[in-house]
Amino acid sequence: MIRVRGGMAVFTIMIILTLVLQACSEVTTVDDKTPDITDKQESVTHNNLPTNMPLSDNTELVELQDESGAKVLVEHKDPEVIQQLLQGMRDAQPSYIGDPEPKGTLYRITLVSGEEKLTYAINDLSRTNALTESIKLYDMPRNGEGTKAWLVPTAWFQLLMDARTNHNEPEIAAIPDEDSDRVILIANRDIDQQSVEASIASTLMVNSGQDNPQVKFTIQATDPRRMVVQFPDPPQGVVVRFKVEGAKSVDGHQFRARLQEDGELLITIHLGLAWSGLRWLDTTGAVVHEHGFDSARFIEPSRNEDGNERELMIYNQDNSVYRLPLEEEGEIEDVTIRDWPISQDTGKYNSEYGINTIYSYSDDHANLYVAQGLQTIYKVNPEEGTKQPIYMSDRPIYGIASSPDGKHVAILVDVEHLGAAADLIVIDAKGKVVSKFAKAASTGHSDGFHFIYPVRWTNNSTIEVPWINAKRETIQYDYKKGLLSKADNVKLPEDARQLLEEKIGKREDTSIIRVLQKPGDREGRYYAVFVADGIGSCLIDLQEKKVILLGSGALMAWTPVGQVVVWHSTEGKNADFIG
């Protein structure tokens, strides 16, 4: 899939003229009529720019309205604020109407003076990827003249939106625009551009399968409070991350930085063509192999009796399921079962991923167990295509796993109210319950969410389930004897953690989700880690004392030949790892 580039919305000259004619009016009089200039209208060119806009010094009220004018969003009656707004309009820079004209968020501004009202249209381009404009104002055509346009700065529009804006805490917002490979920065104070450049340069991280990809950035200011960060001629498939926490205002105040969405401080932009899927990388960070999965929602490993990942089960948005061996030359197989019996008693549950059927194979692939509708367990013979219901759960199923020999199935089911706690139930190949363990697993999520949980057999007797509360732990049960152990998940050695923090920055909220040491690495040189908070998967080389960014998403596994498999997306898509 290739993303359409240059994605700022535009509309033709006649559309914006229609908008302006509808949104604006002359000074209102009893006999006022809107002139029909459809055939006369021409865009104002560079050589015919408008003069200052007509304003009244006696303005008593300023209203900001929605695009239609039906709703008043903000009104100003304070004479001092009104005069500041009027002065900003007097200082507006003459502009022109493009063909096509860029479109942002549309408003009206109405100036009230006694019985008279004067209305202009506002085109807020500040949150688009516009490179030369922040806010545009449009006048009503007068005496057969063409529609006129002016430019005003972000500060003027901020004052119009909120008269207290200059008294608020200094803040800078970052708005990534994936279509244009740009990040828009908007502050409520004039920005010191040098401090922004220094902040980006000191925190810039590049995630790529290429060796030393060259990523350059430029900054273009459209006015003192709005800047656009660009990445010209970006390498394909590169993910760039940076922060602007070091940015300052021109008067030396430190900005509080935030993103447009969820307040995350780390800005992420995916450069080049759109692609999502799995990549295999060697210990130098070079991409050896890739396989695209555009609609994957989550990925679950299938392990052998030795506990090593041998293949991945990929669950897609349309409920299709692929099986993919971890070997580089492994062929993907669509194992989706589509012809399920229709019954009003089955299939009433659905996970948060939109997936309602999960699969688990025995080691020899001779047996397949499927939780159809996250309620009914079927035993399937893949060769013959037969399927037999063997067990129906009275509660939503969170996870299943076949034992290596295929003689037993471990099932995690909800305790109550789709909560975090799950009971562990073990059945045999005929569906007979062999053992039950109450509240055996938990992932710590809030009630009311149906997530898929990891569950696996380490051998034909022992089952591992997660326990996540204040920390991440793994609990082992012998399906005959009961609880065996409870232990912390593998942690990153201190020297490896220090290297990682030097690369991504030391943060109290940095969450290391998964740590995998390279199999057979007796010296403890290589650690692959998955870090949340928008970092992705990294490889730590303790001998070379370096950290390599491998992919934007979850860490899957090490392959038998020492390659790392990770999720990567150049378009911001995520596929969770359930394992």
Side-chain angles (χ1 to χ4, degrees):
M1 182 182 70
I2 298 178
R3 183 174 65 227
V4 178
R5 318 273 315 157
M8 183 169 60
V10 294
F11 56 116
T12 64
I13 182 69
M14 289 309 299
I15 294 177
I16 191 164
L17 293 180
T18 301
L19 166 74
V20 173
L21 289 174
Q22 291 175 345
C24 305
S25 66
E26 292 270 16
V27 175
T28 303
T29 62
V30 175
D31 298 323
D32 179 50
K33 295 182 180 180
T34 301
D36 182 4
I37 62 165
T38 304
D39 297 328
K40 304 176 184 178
Q41 182 62 55
E42 295 179 357
S43 61
V44 182
T45 66
H46 288 276
N47 297 322
N48 188 24
L49 294 179
T51 57
N52 292 340
M53 63 183 69
L55 299 169
S56 171
D57 290 330
N58 299 319
T59 300
E60 304 163 348
L61 174 68
V62 176
E63 291 182 343
L64 175 66
Q65 303 159 345
D66 64 8
E67 177 184 357
S68 67
K71 182 178 181 180
V72 176
L73 305 176
V74 181
E75 65 175 20
H76 297 282
K77 298 180 180 179
D78 186 327
E80 183 177 351
V81 174
I82 291 175
Q83 287 306 311
Q84 290 178 19
L85 291 171
L86 292 177
Q87 188 60 49
M89 296 174 76
R90 293 187 187 99
D91 295 338
Q93 298 298 309
S95 185
Y96 60 95
I97 297 175
D99 186 8
E101 175 76 351
K103 179 179 179 292
T105 305
L106 304 177
Y107 303 91
R108 292 185 185 188
I109 180 173
T110 297
L111 311 178
V112 182
S113 177
E115 298 296 321
E116 297 180 342
K117 294 183 178 180
L118 187 63
T119 298
Y120 294 88
I122 299 175
N123 188 4
D124 175 17
L125 299 167
S126 65
R127 306 184 88 80
T128 73
N129 59 23
L131 282 174
T132 59
E133 308 155 316
S134 300
I135 313 291
K136 294 187 78 170
L137 296 180
Y138 306 95
D139 187 19
M140 172 70 182
R142 300 169 186 276
N143 301 322
E145 298 177 357
T147 297
K148 300 172 183 178
W150 293 266
L151 296 179
V152 290
T154 302
W156 177 87
F157 187 67
Q158 290 173 339
L159 180 66
L160 178 62
M161 293 287 286
D162 181 3
R164 301 165 299 175
T165 185
N166 293 326
H167 302 287
N168 295 335
E169 177 187 1
E171 185 176 79
I172 188 167
I175 307 167
D177 185 89
E178 297 280 0
D179 291 332
S180 61
D181 294 333
R182 298 171 186 170
V183 177
I184 297 89
L185 302 178
I186 303 174
N188 60 356
R189 301 286 192 280
D190 291 359
I191 305 170
D192 177 3
Q193 183 168 331
Q194 288 186 340
S195 70
V196 174
E197 292 172 349
S199 181
I200 295 175
S202 63
T203 60
L204 188 67
M205 294 185 293
V206 179
N207 187 333
S208 171
Q210 307 172 25
D211 291 331
N212 300 316
Q214 298 299 310
V215 174
K216 299 179 180 179
F217 71 89
T218 62
I219 298 178
Q220 182 164 331
T222 58
D223 65 57
R225 296 192 179 186
R226 181 181 181 273
M227 296 181 179
V228 181
V229 183
Q230 300 183 83
F231 297 90
D233 302 319
Q236 295 299 320
V238 169
V239 180
V240 170
R241 296 181 173 90
F242 62 90
K243 300 178 183 180
V244 291
E245 289 177 284
K248 296 180 180 179
S249 64
V250 293
D251 55 7
H253 289 95
Q254 187 86 26
F255 282 117
R256 182 172 69 87
R258 66 177 178 84
L259 271 183
Q260 184 183 27
E261 298 179 357
D262 64 35
E264 175 57 50
L265 297 178
L266 191 66
I267 301 162
T268 301
I269 189 84
H270 303 79
L271 306 181
L273 300 180
W275 183 89
S276 298
L278 295 173
R279 52 170 30 173
W280 285 246
L281 304 98
D282 63 24
T283 52
T284 69
V287 177
V288 178
H289 175 65
E290 290 182 328
H291 203 303
F293 295 101
D294 189 60
S295 64
R297 297 304 308 273
F298 68 87
I299 299 173
E300 191 170 22
S302 177
R303 297 178 172 92
N304 58 26
E305 192 170 355
D306 297 328
N308 296 319
E309 285 89 351
R310 58 187 175 127
E311 61 189 15
L312 299 174
M313 302 292 290
I314 296 141
Y315 293 82
N316 301 296
Q317 191 169 354
D318 62 357
N319 266 296
S320 63
V321 183
Y322 302 148
R323 189 176 70 193
L324 178 65
L326 279 173
E327 292 83 359
E328 181 186 338
E329 65 278 3
E331 292 293 328
I332 188 170
E333 179 183 1
D334 186 342
V335 297
T336 312
I337 298 174
R338 294 178 170 85
D339 54 338
W340 294 105
I342 299 176
S343 170
Q344 63 180 4
D345 298 324
T346 62
K348 63 180 180 181
Y349 301 122
N350 203 22
S351 72
E352 300 303 313
Y353 304 98
I355 308 300
N356 64 4
T357 303
I358 51 179
Y359 299 56
S360 183
Y361 283 91
S362 61
D363 253 16
D364 58 6
H365 291 153
N367 294 293
L368 168 63
Y369 295 94
V370 182
Q372 197 275 329
L374 297 177
Q375 182 181 27
T376 305
I377 303 296
Y378 282 82
K379 183 180 181 181
V380 179
N381 185 313
E383 290 293 328
E384 299 177 2
T386 59
K387 42 189 175 294
Q388 176 186 1
I390 61 172
Y391 180 81
M392 179 177 286
S393 174
D394 59 353
R395 291 166 287 164
I397 291 175
Y398 283 176
I400 65 166
S402 169
S403 60
D405 60 12
K407 295 181 178 179
H408 293 91
V409 184
I411 311 167
L412 289 176
V413 301
D414 174 39
V415 173
E416 59 179 354
H417 308 308
L418 289 176
D423 292 341
L424 173 61
I425 299 174
V426 180
I427 63 174
D428 63 18
K430 294 182 179 180
K432 179 183 177 181
V433 175
V434 176
S435 54
K436 291 183 179 182
F437 305 99
K439 296 184 178 180
S442 175
T443 62
H445 68 77
S446 301
D447 288 355
F449 296 95
H450 192 163
F451 290 108
I452 304 301
Y453 286 19
V455 53
R456 74 182 189 110
W457 296 74
T458 62
N459 52 50
N460 286 315
S461 300
T462 307
I463 305 163
E464 282 188 349
V465 294
W467 190 268
I468 303 174
N469 197 350
K471 56 183 178 179
R472 295 178 177 273
E473 298 175 298
T474 298
I475 300 180
Q476 287 193 339
Y477 289 88
D478 184 293
Y479 82 93
K480 295 179 181 177
K481 301 176 182 178
L483 178 65
L484 292 178
S485 65
K486 185 176 184 179
D488 291 348
N489 289 358
V490 177
K491 293 185 177 181
L492 199 59
E494 186 58 32
D495 51 353
R497 175 181 281 275
Q498 290 177 2
L499 273 178
L500 180 64
E501 290 178 346
E502 289 175 6
K503 178 70 174 180
I504 68 174
K506 187 173 183 179
R507 298 169 56 190
E508 293 182 2
D509 60 344
T510 296
S511 179
I512 298 176
I513 304 299
R514 195 159 188 245
V515 177
L516 292 178
Q517 184 179 354
K518 182 183 178 184
D521 180 17
R522 296 180 180 179
E523 298 178 355
R525 174 178 176 177
Y526 295 108
Y527 289 88
V529 297
F530 173 46
V531 186
D533 312 311
I535 301 297
S537 292
C538 305
L539 179 65
I540 302 171
D541 184 343
L542 288 177
Q543 182 173 306
E544 294 292 330
K545 297 189 182 304
K546 64 180 181 180
V547 177
I548 303 169
L549 291 171
L550 301 175
S552 64
L555 169 65
M556 302 292 157
W558 284 95
T559 70
V561 296
Q563 296 169 358
V564 190
V565 184
V566 301
W567 175 264
H568 182 65
S569 175
T570 65
E571 52 187 333
K573 292 183 178 180
N574 287 315
D576 285 351
F577 179 77
I578 311 295

